[in-house]
């Protein structure tokens, strides 16, 4: 009986267990990745003491988008485990993420690195003959665009391979050469996108292009913290990521630099060379021939892998501010790689399903093919360094020009920014000790000279170029970046005869600690300094009461001397209610910004308005709303944010346009609209905006925002219709093959235009002269009543200064509006046809944004 009871219990228990197992939820695992070895060549042995990416991260590469903190931690782990790898932090991003550079070579080479590097620099800078057994220096750079993550994820694989791999390729590479591996060129953008992709990933991957994972929201992850495209900043050096990278590049001057990107999902894979006719004319043909030689290895690798690819179309190497073209100007070989993007973990495309792991695989494939091709062509690459130097010396010899001469501005801010760029690129510049009289102007002693006879000749030539005609008029990016025009500096290109006669002296003295008299009646500083708005903002933040002079005046200083002050000068009268520590606030602000302060002894002026005049307008602490969000240009919004936050000293409130209906505009003194599509803004929001202006608000718009202003009666002007522009380009004699060239001719991708300005107008306070170079990146044309009160800037009758624009566009833009100012009740509407803050580089117009914030006090009733 007992046995029967036990048997029954066992049967019941077995039934219960079966029932439980049959109804248990299935366990779905994360998918999409594969082991590191599966990305790499077959038959490679790996050092088991080196952690694999999967063992460290807990998932195979490609399963998730690696976060930057994980990437950093793994790179440190490799450096700790492998004697082939050393790691350094080269800088930090705006969000304080570390920028890493791994130096990978056989450990026996460590004692030789300093000598190898010196010998290499002697070759590129002095023409020393390259030894036959000299090493190659590779710079492998990944994912400068944060939402193009296959590169940084491939960096995990390549770093592991080079640290742990044991095969003939690794041995040949590391025994005799050096690899510099930069795993994440844009950590902030990468982090933003990794978070987006991972937060929308399920256990079961969704390939639908419309699923949320594949549709990022504004401002997306491509850009850095301030929404700048870092792949346009190699030359401009606006951001810390770029400055750290260029410092490393100049330290090593690598023979080859790889630049791994992504493009549209329905594409395949691109590798250079790009369009042959669109090469920068300063880049030698030898560079292209070596790029072609390496391309044969990429093609062979993809043929073997059964992957689609293309070359010599779509992309070019004209603008020297990109990662694949900056090296070309300096004797290195920059190579652009563009992988079709999965924009997540799996996406349907016209070529079938595209998996994230496959995009990583392709970046690994081209990194390996670059290494293989370079090793096979090592003698030619080493020889190219000598050839580049010799060809450059011959080009200098045959050049009829000596260099550029720049008159120093009465503006330490612009001067410091200018020389910082030169120094970071290791560009030689000098100061003349005696005045030089040129054909059109005299350059005083102390003017700056940048000679063309230097190793950076090709880069320097591009910085002073005013070329307007090109072999092909299609540009992937801008067609000009003349540095003197960008900084609004008087300059000339010297003949060799004039250059040889120059004498050089000591540099301009640095700013010293400001001396401010304790017993002054008032304090003043001029508005000509680029950082005058920052000086003013520091005082306003401290509660200092200030005034702005509407017209020029003179004043007697506490030392008895008389100084002439221009319109826009900021005055701090002590009779007003001021903070107890006023002098300390002024000294600290002056020391921070480099703006000179004058101590005035009396409110009674020898000339012009007295300091208590009603023409001395009060300036209050601004409260700025910047309209952003879907449908607006994140890059332009980022430029405004960056300027105000890093160069003035306050941040705007960034509000998505979709939330404008919830905003009480009365809380703000200024509202800024950048380029965008605003047709969906409700009429009642526009009505409230218009009423806010009439009550004293300052409304600012730039570029396509002016279409919105005009269309909703916020601005009285005409934006020339696109159809009108189209009619200026007849197509009667064209064929279908001319379609792309025609479209390109209607574009102004980036050229310098000259405008007449009124320096007596508050928007142009701090400017001298009656013309100003503007950077134009669109063919938008605006016409309005030409009045000195409403149109303080308009294009000249022959406006193109540098870069490409079709003659039809030049003629249509001539004499059209550049800046509009229209009174609306007590407030004012201000329109910029162009972007005054282009990439943070166009210092000559950058301060216009400071003027509309602070000097608009003269325009508001």
């Amino acid at each position: 009986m007992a046995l029967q009871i036990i048997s029954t219990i066992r049967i019941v228990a077995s039934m219960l267990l079966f029932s439980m197992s049959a109804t248990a939820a299935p366990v779905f695992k994360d998918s999409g990745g594969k082991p590191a070895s599966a990305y790499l060549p077959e038959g490679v042995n790996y050092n088991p003491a080196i952690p694999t990416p999967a063992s460290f991260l807990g998932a195979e590469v490609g399963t998730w988008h690696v976060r930057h903190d994980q990437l950093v931690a793994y790179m440190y782990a490799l450096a700790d485990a492998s004697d082939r790898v050393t790691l350094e932090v080269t800088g930090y991003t705006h969000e304080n993420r570390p920028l890493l550079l791994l130096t990978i070579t056989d450990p026996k080479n460590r004692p030789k690195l300093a000598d190898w590097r010196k010998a290499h620099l002697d070759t590129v800078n002095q023409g020393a003959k390259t030894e036959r057994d000299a090493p190659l220096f590779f710079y492998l750079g990944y994912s400068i665009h944060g939402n193009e993550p296959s590169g940084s994820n491939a960096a995990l694989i390549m770093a592991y391979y080079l640290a742990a791999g044991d095969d003939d390729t690794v041995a040949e590479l590391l025994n005799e050469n050096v690899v510099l591996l930069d795993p994440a060129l844009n950590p902030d953008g990468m982090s933003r996108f990794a978070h987006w992709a991972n937060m929308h990933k399920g256990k079961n991957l969704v390939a639908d292009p419309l699923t949320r994972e594949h549709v990022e929201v504004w401002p997306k992850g491509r850009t850095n913290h301030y929404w700048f495209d870092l792949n346009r900043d190699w030359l401009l050096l606006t951001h810390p990521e770029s400055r750290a990278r260029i410092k490393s590049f100049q330290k090593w001057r690598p023979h080859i630099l790889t630049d791994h990107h992504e493009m549209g999902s329905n594409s395949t894979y691109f590798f250079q060379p790009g369009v042959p006719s669109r090469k920068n004319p300063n880049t030698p043909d030898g560079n292209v021939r070596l790029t072609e030689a390496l391309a044969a290895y990429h093609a062979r690798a993809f043929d073997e892998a059964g992957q689609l690819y293309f070359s010599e179309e779509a992309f070019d190497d004209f603008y020297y501010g990109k990662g694949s073209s900056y090296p070309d100007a300096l004797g290195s070989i920059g190579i652009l790689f563009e992988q079709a993007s999965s924009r997540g973990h799996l996406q349907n495309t016209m070529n079938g399903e595209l998996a994230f792991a496959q995009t990583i695989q392709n970046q690994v494939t081209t990194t390996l093919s670059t290494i293989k091709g370079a090793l096979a062509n090592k003698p030619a690459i080493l020889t190219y360094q000598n050839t580049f130097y010799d060809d450059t010396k011959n080009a200098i010899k045959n050049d009829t020009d000596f260099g550029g001469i720049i008159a120093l501005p009465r503006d330490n801010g612009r001067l410091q920014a200018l020389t910082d760029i030169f120094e970071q690129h290791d560009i030689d510049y000098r100061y003349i000790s005696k005045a030089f009289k040129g054909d059109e102007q005299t350059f005083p002693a102390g003017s700056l000279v940048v000679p063309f006879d230097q190793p950076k000749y090709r880069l320097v030539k591009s910085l002073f170029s005013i070329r307007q005609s090109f072999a092909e008029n299609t540009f992937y990016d801008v067609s000009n970046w003349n540095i003197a025009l960008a900084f609004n500096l008087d300059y000339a290109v010297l003949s060799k005869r004039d250059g040889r006669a120059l004498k050089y002296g000591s540099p301009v003295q640095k700013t010293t600690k400001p001396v401010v008299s304790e017993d002054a009646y008032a304090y003043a500083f001029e508005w000509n300094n680029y950082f005058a708005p920052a000086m003013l903002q520091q005082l306003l933040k401290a509660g200092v009461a200030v005034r702005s002079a509407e017209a020029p005046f003179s004043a007697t200083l506490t030392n008895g001397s008389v100084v002439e002050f221009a319109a826009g000068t900021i005055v701090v009268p002590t009779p007003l209610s001021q903070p107890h520590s006023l002098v300390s606030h002024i000294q600290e602000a002056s020391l921070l910004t480099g703006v000179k302060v004058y101590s005035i002894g009396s409110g009674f002026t020898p000339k012009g308005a007295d300091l208590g005049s009603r023409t001395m307008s009060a300036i209050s602490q601004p409260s700025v709303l910047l309209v952003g969000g879907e449908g607006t240009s994140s890059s332009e919004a980022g430029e405004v944010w960056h300027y105000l936050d890093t160069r003035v000293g306050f941040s705007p409130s960034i509000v998505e346009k979709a939330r404008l209906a919830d905003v009480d505009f009365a809380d703000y003194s200024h509202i800024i609209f950048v380029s965008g599509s605003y047709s969906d803004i409700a009429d009642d929001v526009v009505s409230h905006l218009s009423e806010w202006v009439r009550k004293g608000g300052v409304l600012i718009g730039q570029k396509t925002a002016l279409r919105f202003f005009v269309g909703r009666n916020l601005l009285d002007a005409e934006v020339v219709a696109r159809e009108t522009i189209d009619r200026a380009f007849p197509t009667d004699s064209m064929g279908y093959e001319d379609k792309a060239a025609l479209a390109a001719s209607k574009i102004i991708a980036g050229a310098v235009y000259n405008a007449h300005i009124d320096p007596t107008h508050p928007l142009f306070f701090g400017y001298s002269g009656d013309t100003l170079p503007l950077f134009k990146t669109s063919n938008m044309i605006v016409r309005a009543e030409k009045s000195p009160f409403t149109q303080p800037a308009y294009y000249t009758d022959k406006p193109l200064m540098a870069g490409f624009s079709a003659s039809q566009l030049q003629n249509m833009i001539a004499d059209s509006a550049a800046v509009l100012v229209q009174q609306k009740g007590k407030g004012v509407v201000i329109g910029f046809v162009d972007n005054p803050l282009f990439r943070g580089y166009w210092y000559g117009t950058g301060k216009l944004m400071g003027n509309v914030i602070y000097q608009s006090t003269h325009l508001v009733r």
Side-chain angles (χ1 to χ4, degrees), residues 88-93 96-100 240-241 243-245 248:
E88 64 178 308
V89 175
T90 60
Y92 291 88
T93 70
N96 207 36
R97 290 186 173 89
L99 298 158
L100 304 185
E241 299 92 334
R243 293 192 286 270
R245 187 185 330 114
S248 296

Side-chain angles (χ1 to χ4, degrees), residues 76-143:
Y76 270 102
L78 289 181
D80 288 342
S82 174
D83 58 1
R84 299 174 181 175
V85 181
T86 58
L87 181 152
E88 64 178 308
V89 175
T90 60
Y92 291 88
T93 70
H94 286 294
E95 295 178 15
N96 207 36
R97 290 186 173 89
L99 298 158
L100 304 185
L101 187 67
L102 280 64
T103 303
I104 308 174
T105 191
D106 190 288
K108 73 176 186 299
N109 295 331
R110 293 289 166 192
K112 307 176 188 176
L113 281 182
D115 290 338
W116 278 1
R117 190 171 69 84
K118 181 181 182 303
H120 177 54
L121 293 178
D122 285 346
T123 296
V124 297
N125 290 324
Q126 300 172 27
K129 185 171 178 58
T130 305
E131 298 295 332
R132 294 179 62 184
D133 61 349
L136 288 180
F137 295 95
F138 294 81
Y139 193 114
L140 309 180
Y142 298 96
S143 298

Side-chain angles (χ1 to χ4, degrees), residues 550 690 692-699 713-716 761-763 785 787-792 820-831 855-861:
E550 188 175 32
S690 180
W692 168 81
V693 174
R694 292 187 178 280
K695 290 181 178 180
V698 179
L699 179 63
N713 298 316
L714 296 168
L715 187 68
D716 184 15
H761 193 284
L763 286 197
E785 177 189 5
S787 161
F789 312 114
T790 61
Q791 196 177 129
L820 293 174
V821 179
Q822 293 181 3
Q823 208 80 37
K824 300 288 183 181
K826 293 182 179 180
V828 66
V829 179
I830 299 169
Q855 298 292 2
S856 57
T857 185
H858 295 286
L859 304 173
V860 177
R861 297 171 185 170

Side-chain angles (χ1 to χ4, degrees), residues 234-266:
W234 288 70
L235 182 61
L236 316 181
L237 303 181
T238 300
H239 297 280
E241 299 92 334
S242 307
R243 293 192 286 270
R245 187 185 330 114
I246 292 303
K247 184 176 181 180
S248 296
F249 184 93
Q250 295 295 346
K251 175 182 177 180
W252 291 97
R253 294 291 293 278
H255 295 83
I256 294 174
L257 181 145
T258 65
D259 185 21
H260 294 262
H261 290 252
E262 293 181 9
M263 54 184 165
S265 300
N266 287 317

Side-chain angles (χ1 to χ4, degrees), residues 308-477:
L308 294 173
Y309 60 90
F310 66 99
S311 188
E312 294 191 305
E313 62 178 272
F315 300 94
D316 66 41
D317 264 340
F318 183 80
Y319 172 49
Y320 280 154
K322 297 190 301 178
S324 60
S325 51
Y326 177 81
D328 296 347
L330 302 176
S332 302
I333 303 165
I335 308 175
L336 172 67
F337 297 108
E338 293 273 357
Q339 162 66 47
S341 180
S342 62
R343 282 293 188 269
H345 294 84
L346 183 70
Q347 185 165 171
N348 287 329
T349 76
M350 63 179 289
N351 297 310
E353 284 191 345
L354 179 61
F356 182 41
Q358 185 59 55
T359 69
I360 299 169
Q361 178 66 74
N362 290 345
Q363 302 286 27
V364 171
T365 296
T366 51
T367 304
L368 293 172
S369 61
T370 299
I371 292 170
K372 185 175 182 180
L375 293 179
N377 288 276
K378 183 174 180 178
I381 294 171
L382 290 174
T383 299
Y384 176 68
Q385 298 282 302
N386 285 121
T387 303
F388 181 87
Y389 181 87
D390 293 340
D391 289 349
T392 299
K393 292 301 289 185
N394 285 333
I396 293 169
K397 180 180 178 181
N398 295 328
D399 197 329
T400 58
D401 296 326
F402 175 84
I405 184 169
I406 299 173
L408 299 192
R410 291 182 56 249
D411 176 358
N412 288 333
R414 274 184 295 154
L415 175 60
Q416 186 64 54
L418 176 76
T419 55
D420 280 351
I421 290 176
F422 288 151
E423 289 170 7
Q424 289 173 88
H425 290 298
D426 196 23
I427 291 172
D428 177 35
Y429 66 92
R430 307 161 190 176
Y431 298 93
I432 60 174
S433 58
K434 294 182 179 180
F436 167 74
K437 186 175 182 180
D439 294 337
E440 298 182 3
Q441 70 179 101
T442 297
F443 291 84
S447 293
L448 186 149
V449 172
V450 183
F452 290 167
D453 188 357
Q454 58 177 299
K456 304 295 194 312
Y457 166 77
R458 298 173 191 272
L459 190 66
V460 172
K461 284 286 286 186
S462 79
L463 287 169
F464 286 92
S465 172
I466 56 171
R467 179 190 291 262
Q468 298 181 14
S469 60
F470 303 86
E472 185 175 328
N473 295 327
T474 301
F475 298 90
Y476 187 75
D477 201 76

Side-chain angles (χ1 to χ4, degrees), residues 7 11 122 150 275 375 450 513 558:
S7 176
I11 291 171
D122 285 346
S150 57
V275 180
L375 293 179
V450 183
K513 184 176 181 179
T558 53

Side-chain angles (χ1 to χ4, degrees), residues 6-69:
I6 292 171
S7 176
T8 302
I9 290 173
R10 285 175 175 171
I11 291 171
V12 171
S14 176
M15 291 175 66
L16 286 172
L17 286 170
F18 176 79
S19 175
M20 289 173 64
S21 64
T23 59
V27 178
F28 295 108
K29 296 182 178 180
D30 291 314
S31 60
K34 59 183 183 179
S37 59
Y39 287 98
L40 294 164
E42 295 180 355
V44 180
N45 295 318
Y46 295 95
N47 183 344
I50 309 299
T52 66
S55 68
F56 186 86
L57 300 173
E60 305 288 8
V61 174
T63 307
W64 298 93
H65 285 244
V66 68
R67 302 191 314 267
H68 184 257
D69 61 296

